[in-house]
Structures are given as C-alpha cells and as structure tokens.
Amino acid sequence: MRGAKSGLADLKQLHRQALEARKQAERDERMAAQDRARLDQAAPEQDVDAFRKAMQSARPIKPRNQIERRPAALPASPAVAARRMHATGERPGGANAGRADAGISDGGVAHLLSENGTAYVRADAAPDTARKLKQGHWRAGAELDLHGLRVEQARHAVISFLDECLGQGVRCVRIVHGKGYGSQGMAPVLKDKVRAWLAQKAEVLAFSEAPPREGGSGALLVLMQG
C-alpha cells in the first residue's frame, strides 16, 4: 500500500515538472517573439545609418558623352525659300517641280530652224516674225550675257531669264552667247545649244540672229508671246 502511494506521488511530481517546463517554453517563446519585433523595428534605422556611412566617401560622377538636344530649325520664310529656289533653278511643287530647265535638251531641233539655223518661228506665229525681229520691229527690254558659263549653267540661266522676263511683262530680249573666239578650237560652244533651248520653250514665238550693231552672230533677239 505504501508502495502505491509512493508511485502516485512520483507521477504527480513528474506532471508538475512537465507543466512547469511547458510554461517556461511558452515564456521563452513570447520573449523571443518580442525580441524579434524589436529587431524588426530597429532594422530600417540601422539600414539608413549604414547607407549614410557607406556614402560618406562617394563622389558625384562627372557627366560624359552627354547628348545635346537642340530645337529643330524653323522653316525658312517664303521670301528666303523663293530666293533659294531661284538660285538653284527649282520651281514650286506640283507638276512643274524641279529645275526650271527640266526637260530641255541640248539639241535635236535643227529641223525647226530656218535661215541656215540662225532663225526660228513657231508654227502658229507669222512667218515674217524673225525678219521683223532682226529689223528692230521690237526693242529688247532685257539682256542676258552667257560668257563664262558652262553648258548646264547657261541652260538654267537662259530658261530662268525667260521666265523672269515673262513675269515682268518683257516680250523681247537679247541673249549673248558669244562667237567662240575665246573657246577651244575657236568655235562657239553655246551657239547651237542656245538655239535648241529656245526652240523648246513654249512661250518663245521667234528668234533671230542679232544685227551686227547688236552682236551679230554672237547674239540672238528673242520674242515671246504676250
């Protein structure tokens, strides 16, 4: 009987010890949780402090290879654009866009000339128009001298000159192409080409070699439609 009581007391003692151990474990867990919470709250401040300390020795990087962004150039004014187009031989957009002398060839019109290639009369003009030109029936209101120009420059100059005269209401003009005394072989480079260009210009009614007092074989008198 005494042994049974002794065994029961031992069981109660073990139970109390187990209960105390569980309570102690719970207290330890609560304390550990509180410690973790305190650490979590302190971490951001510690991170900021660490970052500031690390950046104390930092220096700003000097900019290199920077890209400059400049505002786009403003379009030229109409007056400037017009002067540029005139200088380069261009016409405004549309069907006539391009150089003023576009489509004008340097030859292939010999069959349209008369008086041994010195005169031209458009098909719908009076047959004696070239003769009247040479006789001074119309007085030249403007003159173009092609001396010193290359073929391409001269072609553009002739067609642009005619267009400008038409715009100003000038019908009769004189074009000086030279007699070729200063060219290689003593032959006029522009003589036949100028005649070809004029014959292809729709506004030209007639042209004729100028009389001796106005340049003779080195110049042409040109009449354009009014």
Side-chain angles (χ1 to χ4, degrees), residues 79-92:
V80 173
R83 288 196 296 270
R84 183 180 302 159
M85 293 178 69
H86 179 74
T88 57
E90 295 182 358
R91 291 182 175 180

